[in-house]
Amino acid sequence: MIPMVKADAYGLGAGETVRALEPDDPTAYGVATVEEGRRLRSRGVRRPIVVFSPVPPGEYEAAVEAGLTVCLSSLEALDRLAGAAAARRDREDEPVPFHVEVDTGMGRSGFDARAVDRWGPAVARAHGGALRWAGVFTHFHSADVDGSATAEQIRRFRAAIDALDLPGEADFLVHEANSAAALRRPLGLLPAVRPGIFLYGGRAGPSLPPPEPVVSVRARVVLVREVPAGTTVGYGATYCASSDERWATLAIGYGDGLPRALGNRGEVLVAGRRVPIVGRISMDLTVVNISVTDGVDAGHVATVIGRDGGEEVTLDDVADLAGTIGYEILTGLTGRLPRIWETDGF
Ligand SMILES: *Cc1c(COP(=O)(O)O)cnc(C)c1O
């Protein structure tokens, strides 16, 4: 298990996420950047930390110094890593680990699976001495929707592995599955998986098992008003009350990560009822029509994502309405929203 805690654990907070995952004894943690890896190290994480995005020239020294495992996509990157390993001052006796990414169709990073003869021997020769080849992996482009495309990528990956002279160490890691692929287990995947979105309560694919909810987003009602027909709301006055209505102003807006696309479209839960967002969403405020509710005052807590009474708005409901994916909603939640961690009670 290599839990992906990149992008501050999909916006939830990498420190708390790692604390929650530690008892499950993960093999390693996955991040995107050297800086993310350094932050995890400074929080006291001792396990291997794999940096999945290609490392920009000039950051190899910092990666080596922090004891991070970089992923290589080119022989130039291998040279840079070797240079940084040769130049380091501490832990000189400990070889610097790296993983090799094999591109089987994702196209954004990795050595080309079709050209394994051109890069494989040089990578194998680099193992030993100052460097240690610790793993090889690929990444699927359509595991959320298409098992056959994934099967083809698996075929290309396995063919590349067969052509590689892999180190024989027992702890050498071969990995390929993101959340969606891990949930399609009948494909015959390898045991090591790199889950991300499923850990954070996001749907991995339309026909895949739904996740347990993990995240709720809540906002305070800061004002309740009875408004007569003809009252307009928000920038552009895009909504106008057609009869007497009761409106609640919520202290949340796109400055908190609530997608502006939900203006006149989204729904939130207030007092256990589903109520519509009216008008455009502002940076700090959102107005909902709570005419169907009773007894809601300033201070009441509205639910933007999560459960209230018998009703639920899921992360993916919000993403679908906003025309995006749960990943973007979660990573878009800004620092203004305090993260409150509960060990149970969802
Ligand atoms: C983000 C990422 C994952 C996790 O993907 P999910 O769809 O969130 O499970 C796995 N592997 C790599 C290389 C990634 O960049």
PDB file of all heavy atoms in Angstrom, residues 4 6 10 52 101 108 137-139 176-180 194-198 200 204 327, ligand 1:
ATOM      1  N   MET A   4      -1.489   7.790  -1.541  1.00  0.00           N
ATOM      2  CA  MET A   4      -1.082   9.039  -2.177  1.00  0.00           C
ATOM      3  C   MET A   4      -1.536  10.198  -1.283  1.00  0.00           C
ATOM      4  O   MET A   4      -2.731  10.391  -1.077  1.00  0.00           O
ATOM      5  CB  MET A   4      -1.703   9.153  -3.564  1.00  0.00           C
ATOM      6  CG  MET A   4      -1.278   8.037  -4.524  1.00  0.00           C
ATOM      7  SD  MET A   4       0.508   7.904  -4.790  1.00  0.00           S
ATOM      8  CE  MET A   4       0.831   9.393  -5.730  1.00  0.00           C
ATOM      9  N   LYS A   6      -0.311  13.361  -1.832  1.00  0.00           N
ATOM     10  CA  LYS A   6       0.075  14.570  -2.569  1.00  0.00           C
ATOM     11  C   LYS A   6      -0.990  15.652  -2.409  1.00  0.00           C
ATOM     12  O   LYS A   6      -2.128  15.360  -2.024  1.00  0.00           O
ATOM     13  CB  LYS A   6       0.251  14.218  -4.044  1.00  0.00           C
ATOM     14  CG  LYS A   6      -1.018  13.665  -4.682  1.00  0.00           C
ATOM     15  CD  LYS A   6      -0.773  13.097  -6.062  1.00  0.00           C
ATOM     16  CE  LYS A   6      -2.054  12.491  -6.622  1.00  0.00           C
ATOM     17  NZ  LYS A   6      -1.865  11.910  -7.959  1.00  0.00           N
ATOM     18  N   TYR A  10      -4.874  15.543  -0.860  1.00  0.00           N
ATOM     19  CA  TYR A  10      -6.051  15.954  -1.628  1.00  0.00           C
ATOM     20  C   TYR A  10      -6.793  17.084  -0.925  1.00  0.00           C
ATOM     21  O   TYR A  10      -8.026  17.168  -0.935  1.00  0.00           O
ATOM     22  CB  TYR A  10      -6.980  14.764  -1.881  1.00  0.00           C
ATOM     23  CG  TYR A  10      -6.438  13.741  -2.882  1.00  0.00           C
ATOM     24  CD1 TYR A  10      -5.117  13.339  -2.851  1.00  0.00           C
ATOM     25  CD2 TYR A  10      -7.257  13.178  -3.853  1.00  0.00           C
ATOM     26  CE1 TYR A  10      -4.623  12.416  -3.760  1.00  0.00           C
ATOM     27  CE2 TYR A  10      -6.766  12.243  -4.768  1.00  0.00           C
ATOM     28  CZ  TYR A  10      -5.445  11.868  -4.711  1.00  0.00           C
ATOM     29  OH  TYR A  10      -4.958  10.948  -5.609  1.00  0.00           O
ATOM     30  N   PHE A  52       6.376  11.396  -7.069  1.00  0.00           N
ATOM     31  CA  PHE A  52       5.922  10.824  -8.337  1.00  0.00           C
ATOM     32  C   PHE A  52       6.119  11.727  -9.550  1.00  0.00           C
ATOM     33  O   PHE A  52       6.350  11.237 -10.647  1.00  0.00           O
ATOM     34  CB  PHE A  52       4.472  10.346  -8.218  1.00  0.00           C
ATOM     35  CG  PHE A  52       4.384   8.971  -7.599  1.00  0.00           C
ATOM     36  CD1 PHE A  52       4.229   8.805  -6.232  1.00  0.00           C
ATOM     37  CD2 PHE A  52       4.512   7.841  -8.388  1.00  0.00           C
ATOM     38  CE1 PHE A  52       4.186   7.541  -5.665  1.00  0.00           C
ATOM     39  CE2 PHE A  52       4.468   6.569  -7.827  1.00  0.00           C
ATOM     40  CZ  PHE A  52       4.305   6.419  -6.463  1.00  0.00           C
ATOM     41  N   GLU A 101       9.480   5.086 -13.742  1.00  0.00           N
ATOM     42  CA  GLU A 101       8.130   5.091 -14.307  1.00  0.00           C
ATOM     43  C   GLU A 101       8.181   4.630 -15.751  1.00  0.00           C
ATOM     44  O   GLU A 101       9.018   5.089 -16.536  1.00  0.00           O
ATOM     45  CB  GLU A 101       7.504   6.496 -14.236  1.00  0.00           C
ATOM     46  CG  GLU A 101       6.117   6.502 -14.897  1.00  0.00           C
ATOM     47  CD  GLU A 101       5.307   7.768 -14.692  1.00  0.00           C
ATOM     48  OE1 GLU A 101       5.816   8.727 -14.068  1.00  0.00           O
ATOM     49  OE2 GLU A 101       4.152   7.780 -15.161  1.00  0.00           O
ATOM     50  N   ARG A 108       2.349  11.625 -19.950  1.00  0.00           N
ATOM     51  CA  ARG A 108       2.806  12.853 -19.293  1.00  0.00           C
ATOM     52  C   ARG A 108       4.182  12.689 -18.662  1.00  0.00           C
ATOM     53  O   ARG A 108       4.875  13.664 -18.402  1.00  0.00           O
ATOM     54  CB  ARG A 108       1.790  13.304 -18.241  1.00  0.00           C
ATOM     55  CG  ARG A 108       1.613  12.301 -17.114  1.00  0.00           C
ATOM     56  CD  ARG A 108       0.557  12.700 -16.087  1.00  0.00           C
ATOM     57  NE  ARG A 108       0.561  11.756 -14.975  1.00  0.00           N
ATOM     58  CZ  ARG A 108      -0.283  11.783 -13.961  1.00  0.00           C
ATOM     59  NH1 ARG A 108      -1.218  12.719 -13.905  1.00  0.00           N
ATOM     60  NH2 ARG A 108      -0.196  10.889 -12.991  1.00  0.00           N
ATOM     61  N   PHE A 137       7.026   1.221 -11.991  1.00  0.00           N
ATOM     62  CA  PHE A 137       5.556   1.359 -11.991  1.00  0.00           C
ATOM     63  C   PHE A 137       5.079   1.982 -13.290  1.00  0.00           C
ATOM     64  O   PHE A 137       5.860   2.534 -14.073  1.00  0.00           O
ATOM     65  CB  PHE A 137       5.093   2.220 -10.812  1.00  0.00           C
ATOM     66  CG  PHE A 137       5.407   3.684 -10.949  1.00  0.00           C
ATOM     67  CD1 PHE A 137       4.437   4.584 -11.371  1.00  0.00           C
ATOM     68  CD2 PHE A 137       6.676   4.170 -10.678  1.00  0.00           C
ATOM     69  CE1 PHE A 137       4.717   5.945 -11.505  1.00  0.00           C
ATOM     70  CE2 PHE A 137       6.966   5.527 -10.817  1.00  0.00           C
ATOM     71  CZ  PHE A 137       5.983   6.409 -11.228  1.00  0.00           C
ATOM     72  N   THR A 138       3.755   1.868 -13.502  1.00  0.00           N
ATOM     73  CA  THR A 138       3.101   2.613 -14.563  1.00  0.00           C
ATOM     74  C   THR A 138       1.834   3.230 -13.998  1.00  0.00           C
ATOM     75  O   THR A 138       1.467   2.981 -12.838  1.00  0.00           O
ATOM     76  CB  THR A 138       2.806   1.722 -15.791  1.00  0.00           C
ATOM     77  OG1 THR A 138       2.483   2.566 -16.902  1.00  0.00           O
ATOM     78  CG2 THR A 138       1.639   0.768 -15.536  1.00  0.00           C
ATOM     79  N   HIS A 139       1.175   4.065 -14.787  1.00  0.00           N
ATOM     80  CA  HIS A 139      -0.037   4.753 -14.327  1.00  0.00           C
ATOM     81  C   HIS A 139      -1.096   4.645 -15.416  1.00  0.00           C
ATOM     82  O   HIS A 139      -0.801   4.845 -16.593  1.00  0.00           O
ATOM     83  CB  HIS A 139       0.300   6.223 -14.024  1.00  0.00           C
ATOM     84  CG  HIS A 139      -0.788   6.955 -13.299  1.00  0.00           C
ATOM     85  ND1 HIS A 139      -1.351   6.481 -12.128  1.00  0.00           N
ATOM     86  CD2 HIS A 139      -1.407   8.126 -13.560  1.00  0.00           C
ATOM     87  CE1 HIS A 139      -2.275   7.350 -11.710  1.00  0.00           C
ATOM     88  NE2 HIS A 139      -2.326   8.346 -12.562  1.00  0.00           N
ATOM     89  N   GLU A 176       1.139  -0.427  -9.930  1.00  0.00           N
ATOM     90  CA  GLU A 176       0.446   0.146 -11.085  1.00  0.00           C
ATOM     91  C   GLU A 176      -0.929   0.710 -10.754  1.00  0.00           C
ATOM     92  O   GLU A 176      -1.397   1.595 -11.470  1.00  0.00           O
ATOM     93  CB  GLU A 176       0.315  -0.910 -12.198  1.00  0.00           C
ATOM     94  CG  GLU A 176      -0.331  -2.198 -11.717  1.00  0.00           C
ATOM     95  CD  GLU A 176      -0.227  -3.355 -12.711  1.00  0.00           C
ATOM     96  OE1 GLU A 176       0.371  -3.185 -13.780  1.00  0.00           O
ATOM     97  OE2 GLU A 176      -0.746  -4.434 -12.394  1.00  0.00           O
ATOM     98  N   ALA A 177      -1.608   0.239  -9.712  1.00  0.00           N
ATOM     99  CA  ALA A 177      -3.032   0.557  -9.562  1.00  0.00           C
ATOM    100  C   ALA A 177      -3.299   1.831  -8.771  1.00  0.00           C
ATOM    101  O   ALA A 177      -2.850   1.972  -7.634  1.00  0.00           O
ATOM    102  CB  ALA A 177      -3.756  -0.607  -8.892  1.00  0.00           C
ATOM    103  N   ASN A 178      -4.049   2.763  -9.376  1.00  0.00           N
ATOM    104  CA  ASN A 178      -4.669   3.861  -8.631  1.00  0.00           C
ATOM    105  C   ASN A 178      -5.953   3.313  -7.978  1.00  0.00           C
ATOM    106  O   ASN A 178      -6.229   2.108  -8.058  1.00  0.00           O
ATOM    107  CB  ASN A 178      -4.949   5.043  -9.561  1.00  0.00           C
ATOM    108  CG  ASN A 178      -5.803   4.657 -10.761  1.00  0.00           C
ATOM    109  OD1 ASN A 178      -6.266   3.527 -10.875  1.00  0.00           O
ATOM    110  ND2 ASN A 178      -6.014   5.597 -11.666  1.00  0.00           N
ATOM    111  N   SER A 179      -6.762   4.193  -7.372  1.00  0.00           N
ATOM    112  CA  SER A 179      -7.978   3.724  -6.697  1.00  0.00           C
ATOM    113  C   SER A 179      -8.862   2.904  -7.634  1.00  0.00           C
ATOM    114  O   SER A 179      -9.311   1.807  -7.296  1.00  0.00           O
ATOM    115  CB  SER A 179      -8.811   4.903  -6.181  1.00  0.00           C
ATOM    116  OG  SER A 179      -8.118   5.641  -5.214  1.00  0.00           O
ATOM    117  N   ALA A 180      -9.114   3.451  -8.831  1.00  0.00           N
ATOM    118  CA  ALA A 180     -10.053   2.804  -9.747  1.00  0.00           C
ATOM    119  C   ALA A 180      -9.547   1.428 -10.155  1.00  0.00           C
ATOM    120  O   ALA A 180     -10.313   0.453 -10.163  1.00  0.00           O
ATOM    121  CB  ALA A 180     -10.266   3.688 -10.976  1.00  0.00           C
ATOM    122  N   ARG A 194      -1.690   2.183  -5.241  1.00  0.00           N
ATOM    123  CA  ARG A 194      -1.463   3.596  -4.903  1.00  0.00           C
ATOM    124  C   ARG A 194      -2.797   4.328  -4.826  1.00  0.00           C
ATOM    125  O   ARG A 194      -3.122   5.126  -5.695  1.00  0.00           O
ATOM    126  CB  ARG A 194      -0.587   4.274  -5.968  1.00  0.00           C
ATOM    127  CG  ARG A 194       0.750   3.617  -6.237  1.00  0.00           C
ATOM    128  CD  ARG A 194       1.582   4.473  -7.197  1.00  0.00           C
ATOM    129  NE  ARG A 194       0.903   4.787  -8.423  1.00  0.00           N
ATOM    130  CZ  ARG A 194       0.999   4.076  -9.545  1.00  0.00           C
ATOM    131  NH1 ARG A 194       1.768   3.011  -9.604  1.00  0.00           N
ATOM    132  NH2 ARG A 194       0.315   4.448 -10.618  1.00  0.00           N
ATOM    133  N   PRO A 195      -3.599   4.063  -3.813  1.00  0.00           N
ATOM    134  CA  PRO A 195      -4.906   4.712  -3.757  1.00  0.00           C
ATOM    135  C   PRO A 195      -4.792   6.172  -3.371  1.00  0.00           C
ATOM    136  O   PRO A 195      -3.944   6.558  -2.570  1.00  0.00           O
ATOM    137  CB  PRO A 195      -5.644   3.916  -2.672  1.00  0.00           C
ATOM    138  CG  PRO A 195      -4.556   3.441  -1.772  1.00  0.00           C
ATOM    139  CD  PRO A 195      -3.343   3.205  -2.646  1.00  0.00           C
ATOM    140  N   GLY A 196      -5.657   6.976  -3.970  1.00  0.00           N
ATOM    141  CA  GLY A 196      -5.757   8.384  -3.602  1.00  0.00           C
ATOM    142  C   GLY A 196      -7.197   8.697  -3.273  1.00  0.00           C
ATOM    143  O   GLY A 196      -7.644   8.594  -2.141  1.00  0.00           O
ATOM    144  N   ILE A 197      -7.970   9.018  -4.304  1.00  0.00           N
ATOM    145  CA  ILE A 197      -9.312   9.578  -4.114  1.00  0.00           C
ATOM    146  C   ILE A 197     -10.202   8.702  -3.231  1.00  0.00           C
ATOM    147  O   ILE A 197     -10.998   9.220  -2.435  1.00  0.00           O
ATOM    148  CB  ILE A 197      -9.990   9.843  -5.488  1.00  0.00           C
ATOM    149  CG1 ILE A 197     -11.228  10.729  -5.334  1.00  0.00           C
ATOM    150  CG2 ILE A 197     -10.331   8.557  -6.212  1.00  0.00           C
ATOM    151  CD1 ILE A 197     -10.940  12.141  -4.894  1.00  0.00           C
ATOM    152  N   PHE A 198     -10.072   7.381  -3.357  1.00  0.00           N
ATOM    153  CA  PHE A 198     -10.960   6.507  -2.590  1.00  0.00           C
ATOM    154  C   PHE A 198     -10.710   6.646  -1.087  1.00  0.00           C
ATOM    155  O   PHE A 198     -11.628   6.505  -0.284  1.00  0.00           O
ATOM    156  CB  PHE A 198     -10.758   5.049  -3.035  1.00  0.00           C
ATOM    157  CG  PHE A 198     -11.930   4.158  -2.711  1.00  0.00           C
ATOM    158  CD1 PHE A 198     -13.119   4.277  -3.417  1.00  0.00           C
ATOM    159  CD2 PHE A 198     -11.840   3.203  -1.715  1.00  0.00           C
ATOM    160  CE1 PHE A 198     -14.211   3.454  -3.128  1.00  0.00           C
ATOM    161  CE2 PHE A 198     -12.927   2.377  -1.424  1.00  0.00           C
ATOM    162  CZ  PHE A 198     -14.109   2.503  -2.135  1.00  0.00           C
ATOM    163  N   TYR A 200     -10.135   9.322   0.364  1.00  0.00           N
ATOM    164  CA  TYR A 200     -10.660  10.615   0.811  1.00  0.00           C
ATOM    165  C   TYR A 200     -12.156  10.750   0.557  1.00  0.00           C
ATOM    166  O   TYR A 200     -12.707  11.845   0.605  1.00  0.00           O
ATOM    167  CB  TYR A 200      -9.875  11.740   0.119  1.00  0.00           C
ATOM    168  CG  TYR A 200      -8.376  11.581   0.322  1.00  0.00           C
ATOM    169  CD1 TYR A 200      -7.531  11.234  -0.715  1.00  0.00           C
ATOM    170  CD2 TYR A 200      -7.834  11.730   1.596  1.00  0.00           C
ATOM    171  CE1 TYR A 200      -6.173  11.060  -0.516  1.00  0.00           C
ATOM    172  CE2 TYR A 200      -6.476  11.553   1.807  1.00  0.00           C
ATOM    173  CZ  TYR A 200      -5.650  11.217   0.751  1.00  0.00           C
ATOM    174  OH  TYR A 200      -4.309  11.039   0.957  1.00  0.00           O
ATOM    175  N   ALA A 204     -14.252   6.578  -7.371  1.00  0.00           N
ATOM    176  CA  ALA A 204     -13.116   6.277  -8.251  1.00  0.00           C
ATOM    177  C   ALA A 204     -13.556   6.119  -9.698  1.00  0.00           C
ATOM    178  O   ALA A 204     -12.744   6.263 -10.608  1.00  0.00           O
ATOM    179  CB  ALA A 204     -12.400   5.017  -7.767  1.00  0.00           C
ATOM    180  N   TYR A 327     -11.881  15.158  -7.086  1.00  0.00           N
ATOM    181  CA  TYR A 327     -10.482  15.540  -6.841  1.00  0.00           C
ATOM    182  C   TYR A 327     -10.328  17.064  -6.829  1.00  0.00           C
ATOM    183  O   TYR A 327      -9.630  17.634  -6.001  1.00  0.00           O
ATOM    184  CB  TYR A 327      -9.565  15.027  -7.951  1.00  0.00           C
ATOM    185  CG  TYR A 327      -9.549  13.551  -8.255  1.00  0.00           C
ATOM    186  CD1 TYR A 327     -10.640  12.916  -8.825  1.00  0.00           C
ATOM    187  CD2 TYR A 327      -8.400  12.810  -8.018  1.00  0.00           C
ATOM    188  CE1 TYR A 327     -10.589  11.570  -9.149  1.00  0.00           C
ATOM    189  CE2 TYR A 327      -8.341  11.457  -8.349  1.00  0.00           C
ATOM    190  CZ  TYR A 327      -9.443  10.840  -8.910  1.00  0.00           C
ATOM    191  OH  TYR A 327      -9.384   9.524  -9.229  1.00  0.00           O
TER     192      TYR A 327
HETATM  193  C1  LIG B   1      -2.570  10.708  -7.972  1.00  0.00           C
HETATM  194  C2  LIG B   1      -1.949   9.435  -8.338  1.00  0.00           C
HETATM  195  C3  LIG B   1      -2.507   8.232  -7.891  1.00  0.00           C
HETATM  196  C4  LIG B   1      -3.802   8.135  -7.140  1.00  0.00           C
HETATM  197  O1  LIG B   1      -4.883   8.236  -8.033  1.00  0.00           O
HETATM  198  P1  LIG B   1      -6.388   8.133  -7.507  1.00  0.00           P
HETATM  199  O2  LIG B   1      -7.175   8.161  -8.751  1.00  0.00           O
HETATM  200  O3  LIG B   1      -6.608   9.334  -6.656  1.00  0.00           O
HETATM  201  O4  LIG B   1      -6.504   6.872  -6.734  1.00  0.00           O
HETATM  202  C5  LIG B   1      -1.801   7.063  -8.159  1.00  0.00           C
HETATM  203  N1  LIG B   1      -0.643   7.092  -8.849  1.00  0.00           N
HETATM  204  C6  LIG B   1      -0.107   8.239  -9.324  1.00  0.00           C
HETATM  205  C7  LIG B   1       1.171   8.190 -10.075  1.00  0.00           C
HETATM  206  C8  LIG B   1      -0.741   9.442  -9.096  1.00  0.00           C
HETATM  207  O5  LIG B   1      -0.215  10.565  -9.578  1.00  0.00           O
END
